[in-house]
């Protein structure tokens, strides 16, 4: 039985830690990798140290989860040590990158490669910080330019994480076509008001929604993009169990990212997903995990 | 968010208050809530009393703590939780070591077999000393009790006679206490404090060697801490930058 996935780098199983969850401190990333994740994406890292928003930064109301951390990060110059600590797990660490300009994306991606990152994920889609992420993701020419520039400057795979908060995700995906894989989807822009306090809960007011409730949105985008473009896709959004992961794969994903659910089941969710996948493959006579990718499109 | 109505507010000293409010949640010593001041901030707070009325002791250090410390009878307190792994309350002789208001989260553990070590920068930082029958008090400047640190008070006693040792305070103090503990085996529990944002184990702000203080802690056993190279050494700041402690 083969659980290995090829995303330009070989990943021992299709379950990857999603960016933004338990991936700021190198020791935590290492622990997640030791808990069964095939690879881990780091927190999005920018040029400068950035504080992010004051709490509340999360709103939890299962199956809905909304966050607005605000791209808090230590700045790329301070992140090398964390990657080094994480790499002791001897599994791929994927550096998530955000920037304001083509040059910033390029410079940070090059540093990620120098630090030993196995691949980079371009955050073209953070929904809660002005001037970053989603605004860039909504400009196809800029996306194309960023992806082309980063691809030309580094020798490790480049993944592009795209936003569902756009009028035409196919256009966005085409603009990022030079990427080695597309990561679908980032969080859905959302907010919550506490009716007793009569105020928005998140200090930033708006945040990005994740959790089980967004899974159908993610499935739709993975399916639609896989049908339109024959690109490798990493599915993400609301995955809580093996059936959710299989659904994403059937929609066209080669691998999946898991994030929010960690607050419900802890880091051991990765070991559980691996065990459940093996059982699923035995029960369904599947030898190779690749066989699942895109079966719903056939 | 959950809510409760403040029943009483007691001023403990210039910058510390106790708020009391009814709450039906099952809360154990060492656990905490994330208390929300709408439009201002959200902060973790632990309990100094867990009877029919729950008590929180708040030292004012910022806008949110100031707001909560000044809530009056009838005001609403907003919170989520309780969260975190509690102290394991064991029978036998207990040693409770607290720095400043750190002693507050140990107050629910006080019984007739408890001995308290209360430390502070100055005498103003010493609170709840009247709750202990047997105690040692130390201050950095010697303005109250003996001059010295918490660990100095331990040097004057035989800590091996205690069945369980509990400690809460700044990490640097906890580290010095841990380093002093020989032949204690695993008979000690420490409550840690690191910058916290989500409170539910996903943002990685409060992590220490892969453990999340908010969900795997805040209470860790001596044995757990012995294996943590970050303990008393480095942590991430609010941005996520590694800094020395």
């Amino acid at each position: 039985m083969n659980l290995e996935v090829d995303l330009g780098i070989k990943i021992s199983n299709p379950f990857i830690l999603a960016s933004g969850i338990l991936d700021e401190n190198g020791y935590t990333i290492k622990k997640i990798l030791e808990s069964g994740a095939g690879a881990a994406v780091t927190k999005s890292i920018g040029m400068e140290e950035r504080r992010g928003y004051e709490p509340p930064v999360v709103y939890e109301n299962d199956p809905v989860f909304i966050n607005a951390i605000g791209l808090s990060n230590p700045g790329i110059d301070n992140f090398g040590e964390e990657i080094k600590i994480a790499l002791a797990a001897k599994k791929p660490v994927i550096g998530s990158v955000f920037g304001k300009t083509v040059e910033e994306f390029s410079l940070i991606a090059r540093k990620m490669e120098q630090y030993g990152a196995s691949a980079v994920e371009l955050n073209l889609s953070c929904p809660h910080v002005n001037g970053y992420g989603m605004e860039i993701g909504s400009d196809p020419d800029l996306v194309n330019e960023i992806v082309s520039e980063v691809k030309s400057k580094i020798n490790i795979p480049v993944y592009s994480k795209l936003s569902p908060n756009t009028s035409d995700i196919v256009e966005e995906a085409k603009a990022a076509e030079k990427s080695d894989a597309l990561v679908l989807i980032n969080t859905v822009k959302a907010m919550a008001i506490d009716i007793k306090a009569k105020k928005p809960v998140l200090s930033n007011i708006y945040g990005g929604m994740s959790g089980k409730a967004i899974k159908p949105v993610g499935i739709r985008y993975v399916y639609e993009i896989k049908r339109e473009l024959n690109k490798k896709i990493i599915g993400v959004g609301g995955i809580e169990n093996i059936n959710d992961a299989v659904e994403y794969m059937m929609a066209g994903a080669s691998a999946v990212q898991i994030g929010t659910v960690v607050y419900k089941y802890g880091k051991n969710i990765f070991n559980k997903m691996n065990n459940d996948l093996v059982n699923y493959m035995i029960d369904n006579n599947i030898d190779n995990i690749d066989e699942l990718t895109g079966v719903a499109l056939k | 968010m959950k809510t409760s109505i403040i029943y009483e507010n007691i001023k403990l000293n210039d910058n510390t208050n106790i708020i009391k409010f009814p709450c039906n949640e099952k809360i154990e010593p060492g656990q905490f809530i994330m208390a929300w001041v709408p439009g201002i901030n959200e902060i973790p707070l632990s309990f100094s009393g867990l009877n029919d009325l729950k008590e929180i002791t708040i030292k004012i250090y910022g806008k949110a703590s100031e707001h909560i410390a000044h809530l009056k009878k009838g005001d609403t307190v907003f919170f989520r939780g309780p969260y975190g792994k509690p102290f394991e309350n064991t029978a036998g002789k207990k040693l409770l070591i607290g720095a400043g208001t750190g002693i507050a989260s140990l107050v629910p553990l006080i019984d007739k077999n408890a001995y308290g070590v209360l430390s502070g920068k100055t005498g103003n930082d010493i609170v709840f000393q009247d709750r202990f029958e047997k105690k040692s008090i130390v201050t950095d400047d010697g303005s109250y009790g003996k001059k010295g640190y918490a660990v100095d008070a331990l040097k004057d006693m035989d800590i091996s006679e205690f069945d369980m040792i509990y400690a809460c305070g700044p990490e640097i103090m906890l580290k010095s206490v841990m380093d002093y503990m020989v032949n204690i085996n695993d008979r000690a529990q420490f409550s840690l404090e690191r910058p916290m944002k989500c409170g539910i184990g996903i943002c990685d702000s409060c992590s220490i060697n892969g453990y999340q203080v908010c969900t795997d802690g805040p209470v860790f056993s001596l044995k757990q801490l012995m294996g943590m190279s970050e303990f008393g050494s480095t942590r991430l700041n609010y941005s996520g930058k590694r800094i020395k402690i």
Side-chain angles (χ1 to χ4, degrees):
Chain A
M1 191 184 292
N2 183 15
L3 304 190
E4 192 178 85
V5 174
D6 184 355
L7 295 171
I9 47 169
K10 298 271 197 281
I11 295 179
S12 58
N13 70 64
F15 305 114
I16 303 170
L17 175 72
S19 181
I21 306 290
L22 292 183
D23 52 3
E24 186 168 55
N25 185 322
Y27 291 106
T28 315
I29 302 174
K30 179 168 170 271
K31 189 145 196 128
I32 294 265
L33 292 170
E34 289 165 354
S35 303
V41 186
T42 69
K43 200 159 188 100
S44 285
I45 305 297
M47 289 293 288
E48 311 283 341
E49 181 178 357
R50 193 183 146 89
R51 185 173 164 82
Y53 304 133
E54 299 305 315
V57 293
V58 295
Y59 167 81
E60 178 231 314
N61 190 7
D62 197 22
V64 168
F65 196 94
I66 309 176
N67 89 84
I69 301 283
L71 292 173
S72 73
N73 81 99
I76 187 65
D77 289 340
N78 295 313
F79 201 61
E81 190 184 349
E82 306 310 320
I83 292 193
K84 193 176 152 198
I85 293 167
L87 283 170
K90 302 204 184 325
K91 281 185 176 176
V93 174
I94 300 161
S96 175
V97 173
F98 76 92
K100 274 204 220 72
T101 62
V102 176
E103 292 72 30
E104 284 189 9
F105 272 98
S106 173
L107 196 148
I108 300 165
R110 274 180 283 156
K111 289 220 165 151
M112 286 289 191
E113 184 178 33
Q114 285 165 20
Y115 291 155
S118 317
V120 295
E121 179 178 287
L122 305 176
N123 181 354
L124 301 167
S125 48
C126 182
H128 49 80
V129 179
N130 289 337
Y132 292 100
M134 197 166 81
E135 290 182 15
I136 285 173
S138 305
D139 179 343
D141 292 339
L142 185 54
V143 167
N144 184 11
E145 217 184 316
I146 291 167
V147 175
S148 303
E149 166 69 15
V150 174
K151 272 300 289 178
S152 74
K153 289 286 158 59
I154 61 174
N155 294 312
I156 52 177
V158 176
Y159 311 143
S160 292
K161 189 166 183 180
L162 303 182
S163 173
N165 307 300
T166 174
S167 55
D168 188 352
I169 200 168
V170 176
E171 188 187 34
E172 198 186 339
K174 281 182 179 158
E177 211 171 352
K178 289 187 188 127
S179 317
D180 296 278
L182 301 175
V183 183
L184 300 166
I185 56 175
N186 207 319
T187 54
V188 180
K189 193 166 181 176
M191 74 177 286
I193 292 167
D194 187 286
I195 61 168
K196 282 183 273 186
K198 306 183 179 76
K199 284 216 163 24
V201 174
L202 299 173
S203 68
N204 184 55
I205 302 172
Y206 307 116
M209 179 169 134
S210 58
K212 191 88 173 172
I214 72 161
K215 190 187 72 173
V217 181
I219 296 287
R220 173 244 159 160
Y221 280 125
V222 170
Y223 186 92
E224 186 176 355
I225 300 298
K226 191 69 181 178
R227 203 176 55 187
E228 294 290 324
L229 307 169
N230 197 22
K231 293 292 307 175
K232 286 236 159 142
I233 293 175
I234 302 167
V236 53
I239 296 171
E240 297 202 340
N241 57 45
I242 191 61
N243 290 350
D244 297 333
V246 167
E247 189 179 351
Y248 265 99
M249 288 182 201
M250 288 183 172
S254 300
V256 294
Q257 294 182 354
I258 292 170
T260 302
V261 70
V262 171
Y263 93 86
K264 284 165 96 173
Y265 305 133
K267 297 179 273 287
N268 215 36
I269 180 81
F270 289 97
N271 278 327
K272 184 173 188 320
M273 291 294 270
N274 275 297
N275 291 338
D276 292 351
L277 178 61
V278 168
N279 289 333
Y280 177 88
M281 288 170 74
I282 291 169
D283 291 348
N284 291 276
N285 271 329
I286 298 166
D287 290 328
N288 212 315
I289 185 76
D290 287 352
E291 295 169 38
L292 273 172
T293 300
V295 297
L297 289 141
K298 286 167 190 161
Chain B
M1 292 278 177
K2 295 168 184 169
T3 57
S4 182
I5 304 295
I6 300 291
Y7 179 81
E8 193 180 6
N9 183 328
I10 300 164
K11 192 174 166 70
L12 205 56
N13 63 32
D14 285 351
N15 60 5
T16 310
N17 290 53
I18 301 173
I19 55 166
K20 297 188 181 188
F21 55 92
C23 173
N24 293 327
E25 304 283 338
K26 184 179 170 1
I27 304 168
E28 294 181 66
Q31 288 190 303
F32 66 96
I33 55 168
M34 294 297 289
W36 180 43
V37 182
I40 294 183
N41 208 329
E42 187 187 45
I43 53 172
L45 293 170
S46 59
F47 291 84
S48 52
L50 291 168
N51 298 318
D52 289 347
L53 285 174
K54 306 296 182 251
E55 292 181 27
I56 288 178
T57 302
I58 308 147
K59 184 173 180 178
I60 297 168
Y61 62 90
K63 275 188 187 170
S65 58
E66 185 178 12
H67 183 97
I68 295 165
H70 292 151
L71 288 172
K72 293 186 295 290
K73 185 182 170 92
D75 287 346
T76 301
V77 56
F78 294 86
F79 66 95
R80 51 194 179 93
Y83 297 130
K85 198 173 122 278
F87 285 111
E88 190 192 334
N89 196 352
T90 57
K93 286 188 78 175
K94 305 172 175 177
L95 177 61
L96 308 181
I97 308 167
T101 45
I103 198 72
S105 69
L106 303 176
V107 168
L109 298 167
I110 296 175
D111 60 22
K112 61 181 188 333
N113 294 315
Y115 188 98
V117 170
L118 296 84
S119 71
K121 285 197 176 83
T122 73
N124 287 335
D125 297 325
I126 304 296
V127 291
F128 294 117
Q129 65 272 36
D130 53 337
R131 304 274 184 104
F132 290 90
E133 266 180 47
K134 293 164 283 182
K135 66 202 153 204
S136 301
I137 294 171
V138 283
T139 50
D140 296 2
D141 65 356
S143 58
Y144 186 22
K146 266 193 170 179
K147 185 170 158 53
Y149 301 122
V151 72
D152 297 318
L154 301 184
K155 288 171 187 166
D156 291 340
M157 51 208 284
D158 178 12
I159 60 170
S160 66
E161 70 179 53
F162 292 98
D163 296 297
M164 186 57 79
I165 300 172
Y166 304 83
C168 182
E171 204 167 304
I172 200 84
M173 167 268 198
L174 295 179
K175 178 71 164 57
S176 67
V177 167
M178 184 183 89
D179 289 344
Y180 181 72
M181 287 182 174
V182 282
N183 302 325
I184 294 299
N185 299 319
D186 206 28
R187 288 183 287 119
Q189 304 173 44
F190 292 70
S191 179
L192 267 60
E193 204 175 294
R194 289 195 158 204
M196 219 175 256
K197 293 184 189 176
C198 76
I200 52 176
I202 59 166
C203 80
D204 210 18
S205 271
C206 64
S207 297
I208 175 165
N209 285 98
Y211 294 93
Q212 283 62 61
V213 169
C214 61
T215 49
D216 295 318
V219 177
F220 293 96
S221 71
L222 179 61
K223 208 168 164 186
Q224 284 179 302
L225 289 175
M226 296 267 222
M228 295 186 192
S229 59
E230 279 193 83
F231 181 56
S233 167
T234 64
R235 66 170 174 85
L236 301 189
N237 70 5
Y238 196 86
S239 314
K241 181 177 161 183
R242 188 167 292 280
I243 54 170
K244 284 202 161 51
I245 286 176

